[in-house]
Amino acid sequence: MIVPGRPVLFAAFALALLMLGAVVEPRLAWAALAGDVLLIGACLAEGLRQGRIHIQVNREGWDRFQRGRETEFVFRLENRGDRPVLLVIRQPWPPSFRGPPGRIKVSLAPGEAARVALRATPGKRGRVEMPPTEIDLRFPRGLSVRRWDVPCETPISVYPDLERIRAYETMRRHHALFHFGIHRIRRIGAGREFEQLREYLPDDDYRDINWKATARHRRPVTSVYQTERSQDVLLCLDGGRLMGSPVGDGTAFDHAVDAS
């Protein structure tokens, strides 16, 4: 679609004022009419030249986002024409997104490519339909603007906030979980996973005597056990209707997933 630029709109406004003066001087009407014809011709001619400029617009990394985290939505733009252009990118956000209106201006020389980013915060987990991106192309003179939409072919996926899990894994690898208030406590005798052998004490259970070690050392030896490790833990979440009720900046189910 081709729309008039600002210089053309200002000139059209001036010609409209000239038409008002045609009541006093009829020749002004012919001058205003000739000016309108020239404006329309210049606007259409520049619009046709803009149609021959090929602009490549691609989205990069629009496949995985996290709820509640401000995210960059990256565009890669490439001017494959032989003239410098000015692009205006407008990205309407879905109702569940939070952030300022997505709008940015980019100047591209012939053959130049650039990456630009808009920032927004997804507020709802799941699959989200992204509205089409609106692109405006104009030349430096700005007599006309060529406007088209770039649809988002597939819905984007918004996942729960995983930053705390990454922080936990980093602390665990560096043996620094005490920063989270997590301490390892050895619970001797609380499980049935073998820990070590030691000499028998009067308060030990007879069932814990290791008879093979006792025969080998010729004195009573007790097996010491600890709590079992490397166990599978299943977290079951209620996915019923009531879990979809809004709580804070999300739903009850979102908070349950984050806590899990």
Side-chain angles (χ1 to χ4, degrees):
M1 179 176 62
I2 298 176
V3 297
R6 287 186 178 180
V8 174
L9 294 178
F10 290 151
F13 178 75
L15 290 174
L17 295 178
L18 190 62
M19 290 290 290
L20 294 178
V23 178
V24 179
E25 181 60 46
R27 287 178 298 180
L28 293 178
W30 292 103
L33 181 60
D36 287 335
V37 172
L38 290 176
L39 281 178
I40 294 174
C43 183
L44 291 177
E46 186 162 293
L48 293 176
R49 287 195 296 269
Q50 290 171 350
R52 293 192 290 267
I53 301 293
H54 181 57
I55 302 296
Q56 186 73 27
V57 180
N58 295 318
R59 300 178 177 89
E60 292 189 352
W62 287 44
D63 54 351
R64 186 180 293 268
F65 303 98
Q66 297 181 24
R67 185 186 69 85
R69 291 283 174 178
E70 189 179 37
T71 308
E72 286 190 346
F73 294 80
V74 181
F75 294 89
R76 186 182 186 278
L77 311 172
E78 183 178 358
N79 180 9
R80 296 185 177 180
D82 56 357
R83 297 188 59 178
V85 296
L86 175 64
L87 296 179
V88 179
I89 301 174
R90 289 186 297 272
Q91 177 60 65
W93 302 121
S96 60
F97 278 47
R98 302 189 301 272
R103 186 176 186 274
I104 191 170
K105 291 183 178 180
V106 186
S107 297
L108 292 178
E112 182 183 3
R115 284 182 173 85
V116 296
L118 300 172
R119 303 184 69 89
T121 303
K124 181 181 178 181
R125 179 189 51 80
R127 305 279 283 178
V128 179
E129 295 284 347
M130 183 65 69
T133 305
E134 301 174 359
I135 308 292
D136 284 356
L137 182 151
R138 67 184 67 180
F139 291 150
R141 288 180 298 179
L143 296 180
S144 65
V145 178
R146 184 164 66 93
R147 180 171 299 168
W148 74 96
D149 293 340
V150 179
C152 191
E153 298 178 355
T154 58
I156 65 174
S157 299
V158 180
Y159 293 87
D161 185 5
L162 305 178
E163 288 297 325
R164 284 174 289 183
I165 296 179
R166 295 193 183 99
Y168 174 85
E169 288 296 325
T170 301
M171 293 294 184
R172 183 184 63 81
R173 289 194 298 269
H174 291 82
H175 305 285
L177 289 178
F178 60 88
H179 291 295
F180 284 144
I182 300 176
H183 304 276
R184 182 176 179 180
I185 301 177
R186 295 178 60 190
R187 301 179 60 189
I188 304 299
R192 299 306 299 174
E193 183 174 331
F194 179 77
E195 170 69 15
Q196 62 180 351
L197 295 174
R198 63 169 172 81
E199 291 188 4
Y200 175 80
L201 298 177
D203 293 335
D204 289 342
D205 194 333
Y206 289 110
R207 293 174 297 180
D208 294 336
I209 295 177
N210 191 311
W211 296 107
K212 292 184 179 180
T214 297
R216 187 166 58 252
H217 292 85
R218 296 187 179 182
R219 62 178 183 274
V221 177
T222 300
S223 296
V224 180
Y225 300 95
Q226 67 176 356
T227 305
E228 292 81 356
R229 294 175 294 182
S230 301
Q231 300 185 28
D232 294 333
V233 179
L234 301 179
L235 300 179
C236 301
L237 300 180
D238 179 11
R241 177 177 57 84
L242 295 179
M243 292 295 287
S245 58
V247 176
D249 60 348
T251 63
F253 189 81
D254 291 329
H255 291 286
V257 171
D258 292 342
S260 300

